[in-house]
Amino acid sequence: MSSDFEGYEQDFAVLTAEITNKIARVPRLPPDEKKQMVANVEKQLEEAKELLEQMDLEVREIPPQSRGMYSNRMRSYKQEMGKLETDFKRSRIAYSDEVRNELLGDDGNSSENQRAHLLDNTERLERSSRRLEAGYQIAVETEQIGQEMLENLSHDREKIQRARERLRETDANLGKSSRVLTGMLRR
């Protein structure tokens, strides 16, 4: 059983070395060859996954006493596979960016134009933010002034009501005084 596993290990090592070599070459190839290389790497990644599955099945059949060593190897192979897939995705992203730039006719100036455009938009946002803050400050000040005016009007109303009450009292007193004087005159 372990001989099958070791055979799979050798196949996996050869395959991963080929994949790593091809992934490193992808960015430097002409567009037509890149497409072929990407398709080839995808096929080899699938083969490597199948080899890992076969190796995993072999590990499950190994007696529990010696399974630990093989399980550790499997873990490292799976990590290596994950790293290969990540590297391949990165090379594909670089490849797709190049293809996009070719299709759109982008060149190095577009990133400078985008940068200038972003800086301009950032400045506009900052100006708008400052205007909003100034407007907010004015609204807060207006609210404070309005509150103070309402308090002043409330005090003035109380004064007017007290003055009106005094006038009524004075009027009532004048009325009593007038009756008293009228009564005195009659006598």
Side-chain angles (χ1 to χ4, degrees):
M1 248 184 268
S2 64
S3 62
D4 290 338
F5 184 82
E6 289 171 4
Y8 290 138
E9 276 184 310
Q10 289 174 355
D11 293 343
F12 184 77
V14 169
L15 195 56
T16 55
E18 287 178 16
I19 292 171
T20 303
N21 184 14
K22 289 178 181 179
I23 288 174
R25 289 183 14 213
V26 166
R28 295 184 297 245
L29 293 174
D32 293 338
E33 290 180 33
K34 280 183 186 180
K35 289 179 188 176
Q36 291 173 353
M37 186 66 75
V38 166
N40 192 348
V41 170
E42 286 175 342
K43 287 178 188 175
Q44 287 184 323
L45 283 172
E46 286 301 316
E47 288 177 31
K49 285 180 189 176
E50 289 174 12
L51 273 174
L52 277 178
E53 289 174 9
Q54 289 296 324
M55 290 165 65
D56 198 27
L57 290 174
E58 288 294 324
V59 168
R60 289 181 189 169
E61 293 177 11
I62 293 175
Q65 305 89 316
S66 45
R67 191 178 298 169
M69 177 181 68
Y70 291 105
S71 294
N72 288 337
R73 285 180 175 173
M74 279 302 299
R75 239 180 272 122
S76 68
Y77 293 142
K78 287 179 181 178
Q79 288 174 348
E80 185 177 347
M81 185 68 192
K83 184 181 177 303
L84 282 175
E85 288 176 335
T86 304
D87 290 346
F88 181 60
K89 284 179 186 174
R90 285 184 186 143
S91 74
R92 285 189 70 184
I93 290 170
Y95 169 69
S96 65
D97 285 347
E98 289 174 12
V99 169
R100 182 184 60 83
N101 290 341
E102 287 176 17
L103 289 174
L104 297 176
D106 287 349
D107 53 5
N109 292 335
S110 71
S111 64
E112 290 297 322
N113 291 340
Q114 288 175 346
R115 180 172 159 63
H117 188 65
L118 287 172
L119 288 173
D120 187 41
N121 286 343
T122 303
E123 288 178 25
R124 283 187 203 156
L125 283 172
E126 288 174 358
R127 283 194 305 263
S128 297
S129 295
R130 286 193 295 268
R131 285 185 196 143
L132 283 172
E133 286 179 28
Y136 178 75
Q137 288 296 335
I138 290 171
V140 168
E141 290 172 6
T142 304
E143 184 179 9
Q144 289 173 346
I145 291 170
Q147 188 70 28
E148 289 172 6
M149 289 178 72
L150 283 175
E151 288 175 10
N152 288 340
L153 288 172
S154 176
H155 291 303
D156 290 347
R157 181 178 182 203
E158 289 174 9
K159 286 179 186 177
I160 290 172
Q161 285 178 339
R162 283 194 301 264
R164 202 180 267 164
E165 193 61 38
R166 284 186 199 141
L167 279 174
R168 284 186 186 136
E169 287 175 11
T170 305
D171 188 40
N173 286 340
L174 280 175
K176 286 181 187 176
S177 300
S178 174
R179 275 181 263 158
V180 169
L181 285 174
T182 305
M184 289 172 116
L185 281 175
R186 284 189 191 161
R187 286 187 203 166

